[in-house]
Amino acid sequence: MNTDVEFHIRQNYPWNKLPANVKQSLGNSQREYEKHVLLYSIRNQLRFRNNLVRHVRKDERKYYEELLKYSRDHLMLYPYHLSDIMVKGLRVTPFSYYIGIMEDIMNSEKSYDSLPNFTAADCLRLLGIGRNQYIDLMNQCRSSKKFFRRKSARDLLPAKPVEISVEPWWVAQAGFITEDDIRICSPAEKKAIDKMIDSGPQLAGSMEFNVVLSLYNRGFIYLDVPISDDSCISVPPLEGFVMNRVQGDYFETLLYKIFVSIDEQTNVSELANVLEIDLGLVKNAVSMYCRLGFAVKKGQVFSSDQLHPTWKNAPSVNRLKSTMDPQKMLLSWEQSSPVMEGGSSATDTDTTSLEDQADTASVSSLSIPPAPTKRIAFLFDSTLTAFLMMGNLSPNLKSHAVTMFEVGKLSDETLDSFLAELEKVESTAEGEAQRYFDHALTLKNTILFLRYNKELTQDQGPDIPNIGFPLDMLRCESLLGLDQATCSRVLNKNYKLLVSMAPLSNEIRPISSCTPQHIGPAIPEVSSIWFKLYLYHVTGQGPPSLLLSKGSRLRKLPDKFQMYDRLLITSWGHDPGVVPTSNVLTMLNDALTHSAVLIQGHGMHGHGETIHVPFPFDEEDMMGEFSYSNMCVHKALRKLKEQVDLEHQCGYVTMLNSNNRHRRRSSDAADCSGDTHLGGGLDTNGSTESFELVTEENNGDGKGKTDTLSCEDEWVPLELCFGMPLFSSELNRKVCRKIASHKLCSNESLQELLHSSRKLSLKVLSFVQSFQDGSQSADLDSGVLSPLSQPLAESGVPLPALNLLFKDGQLREWSGRAPPPLNISALQKDQST
């Protein structure tokens, strides 16, 4: 649907008030506009009253029936914000709605994975049907078909909801109750129903606990989860979340956007302003989090005279505290900030009901310690969460990893329990699992270094207590779900500094941010293949590299690469992999059909040898002669230091020695070997092959290798990564030490970083454009796209329009033709004359 049309429907524009261009896009057909209005309203589960759809569809009941059918067919969440209509009018409770969905997918013999994430979580909460239970039900359903007494899917599904968690501040509303229903109620239940009918909705906590559950299970009442403008919530580690698939409907998209944006200090009204989303929609989303048990509402205080005595022994799950080990808590703000015991779930919701009664205590009246208003954000990508989920690192670590992936954020308030779980990770493992363990341990050290570190904030001023900054962890992909302006507002509101892990996966677009300052890639181009070429261009050194544009085809491997035993291949937008030269041609041509590809020489005798050199460089690092243990004085790094600001950024430069005849024995290299990349592999036609990238980092001791074997000319820069490395604990420790000693987090350094990041961005963009401009003078019939027509990659980085070759210190366009052969006889004649 056209975005302009959607905007005008959302703003309730009738046909006669539509601008001419919008009418034209609809073929000047009012009937077409009315179709769009109905479809948009149903897709977005809009209320009939006060919306444009009431002028299009006159039958209100029929509209809601269509809405319910669409939602059920598309496996959407139950429309809790319409519970008054759904339960009282159509007599469809959340339980009956999800039973219908479950029956549909069982009859269609669909897998459990067909349920979207949030829908699956709500089904698990109400029906008690998770993945294993669904598989068991399907097996029963299939086996019954083999006999005469066939059971339908409905016969196998539960007859009533499982016991759910209800919070005292939720609101009980009377549903559709007949006289026959009243007859089967107990006296206590009749009394509760009479009170709701006579006096209106009641706080669940003011009623008898078992009566609330009993009436709810029978469908006689529904439960609202009221959220007011000044409500604040916290998101503990997820439990009960089902990782199936993302559907992309309006509400699911909204839930993920708010997940990564919300924090305990920002109330719902402020959040709606920052995101520029309708306040009612934000309330609906926050209400859903609380209902599903994925969030805890703060500031709910119930005095003993308000709370019915039967609630004192009611089961309530505080997920935040259950995952914490008090013995291992490093620092907790929780002791002085009353968090509501609970965070479980219940059913139906209309966020406008009894908000004033439910909010008995204002958040502003809480005695929260004077924590710093701004925080540090550590940016990571999905590969880190994958490592934490794999390998059975510790019993409760998976719930944190799921939170990092699905919510896209771990706030400072939950880092104590996260660190406690990381403490349980062992330091040694077998085979590939060692990689996962190393990342977990290095992540723990990184969090401990960045979080509440007084060394990083020594220039805060006399009036501000120097306790360091709190730390939030944010997933880049989740932030990229927000539009650029919204993302910038969220980051500026909450954070003083952004720090990226290194390297970030090539498959994502890094976060671009001038303010708050970013220790990491300044723009997406700095984390792309273009920056590698820029690095070689400004230093005049690097491995032989050929960047081929998409659609190119190689008949033979260029002569320059024939001498190599191993090549480093990077498909555009994917992580690199080392492959043997012998069988690379077919794979390259397959990859070039759908992507640009960078080919680089890596090793002449097996894999090349690599060393990671951390920066910023210390003064003593730049003294003395070049050696294996003193790589910082390499002439390429000296040139690089002049062209790129390495003093106010942190990260590492990877140096490559392709002529690795004198490789260290594996036993000697074991202490300082590490994988440069979180995920290695070349994606060709949808398949991913993993290639081990053998790397060795410089620990400063030259262990197992004499300096006499290292010649400066043998080493060339391979890549430069900004951020904090997680793949090597030794390299991570060095970078952390340099951040502290060079005071990179001081206000003065961050101001310099702001200017230098802008300069670097302009230089790199100018460099990219200069090597795209050459295509304008190319033959129009050559099939090479001009920069204007050259499409952007998914990461927003322009794809190469030309084939580029870096060789002998020069970067130039590559025509694909070999140089003309020498005419020996002509040369001899010239010499004789």
Side-chain angles (χ1 to χ4, degrees), residues 779-830:
D779 183 5
L780 293 175
D781 297 322
S782 64
V784 179
L785 294 170
S786 72
L788 295 175
S789 61
Q790 185 67 8
L792 293 176
E794 286 183 11
S795 62
V797 178
L799 291 165
L802 306 172
N803 297 327
L804 300 175
L805 175 68
F806 178 81
K807 188 178 84 168
D808 302 328
Q810 295 289 323
L811 181 65
R812 58 175 70 90
E813 183 181 355
W814 184 68
S815 63
R817 297 183 181 88
L822 291 173
N823 189 330
I824 303 298
S825 59
L827 285 173
Q828 289 173 343
K829 285 179 184 178
D830 291 341

Side-chain angles (χ1 to χ4, degrees), residues 247-264:
Q247 171 151 292
D249 63 69
Y250 90 99
F251 198 52
E252 181 186 68
T253 305
L254 177 67
L255 287 168
Y256 277 116
K257 278 185 179 180
I258 294 175
F259 248 160
V260 75
S261 310
I262 205 156
D263 62 79
E264 296 191 19

Side-chain angles (χ1 to χ4, degrees), residues 728-745:
S728 162
S729 57
E730 180 63 25
L731 184 62
N732 179 270
R733 275 195 293 271
K734 289 181 179 181
V735 171
C736 288
R737 179 180 59 76
K738 288 174 180 287
I739 290 174
S741 61
H742 289 260
K743 299 181 179 177
L744 294 192
C745 297

Side-chain angles (χ1 to χ4, degrees), residues 431-472:
E432 181 69 11
Q434 184 64 50
R435 193 180 181 197
Y436 311 147
F437 283 67
D438 289 343
H439 278 82
L441 294 171
T442 311
L443 177 62
K444 180 191 72 175
N445 295 333
T446 303
I447 293 171
L448 291 173
F449 173 75
L450 292 174
R451 188 179 183 227
Y452 294 111
N453 187 343
K454 297 178 184 179
E455 277 190 276
L456 304 182
T457 55
Q458 293 176 351
D459 60 346
Q460 287 303 296
D463 300 332
I464 304 172
N466 183 18
I467 61 170
F469 284 106
L471 178 73
D472 285 356

Side-chain angles (χ1 to χ4, degrees), residues 260-261 274-275 482 485-495:
V260 75
S261 310
V274 170
L275 297 176
L482 306 173
T486 302
C487 181
S488 179
R489 287 193 300 272
V490 170
L491 293 176
N492 276 290
K493 179 184 181 299
N494 296 321
Y495 301 106

Side-chain angles (χ1 to χ4, degrees), residues 29-46:
S29 167
Q30 182 173 351
R31 181 181 289 275
E32 191 66 26
Y33 183 56
E34 289 177 354
K35 283 182 185 176
H36 280 75
V37 170
L38 181 62
L39 182 60
Y40 178 85
S41 303
I42 288 175
R43 278 181 179 172
N44 291 272
Q45 298 178 327
L46 297 184

Side-chain angles (χ1 to χ4, degrees), residues 547-553 572 591-597 783 785 790-791 799-803:
L547 178 59
L548 296 170
S549 58
K550 178 181 172 181
S552 303
R553 192 160 185 82
W572 197 273
L592 284 166
T593 60
H594 58 81
S595 173
V597 175
L785 294 170
Q790 185 67 8
L799 291 165
L802 306 172
N803 297 327

Side-chain angles (χ1 to χ4, degrees), residues 755-802:
H755 297 311
S756 64
S757 294
R758 284 175 173 165
K759 284 181 184 175
L760 178 63
S761 301
L762 291 172
K763 284 181 180 179
V764 174
L765 290 172
S766 174
F767 165 79
V768 173
Q769 189 60 40
S770 69
F771 281 97
Q772 298 280 57
D773 281 344
S775 62
Q776 290 179 330
S777 58
D779 183 5
L780 293 175
D781 297 322
S782 64
V784 179
L785 294 170
S786 72
L788 295 175
S789 61
Q790 185 67 8
L792 293 176
E794 286 183 11
S795 62
V797 178
L799 291 165
L802 306 172

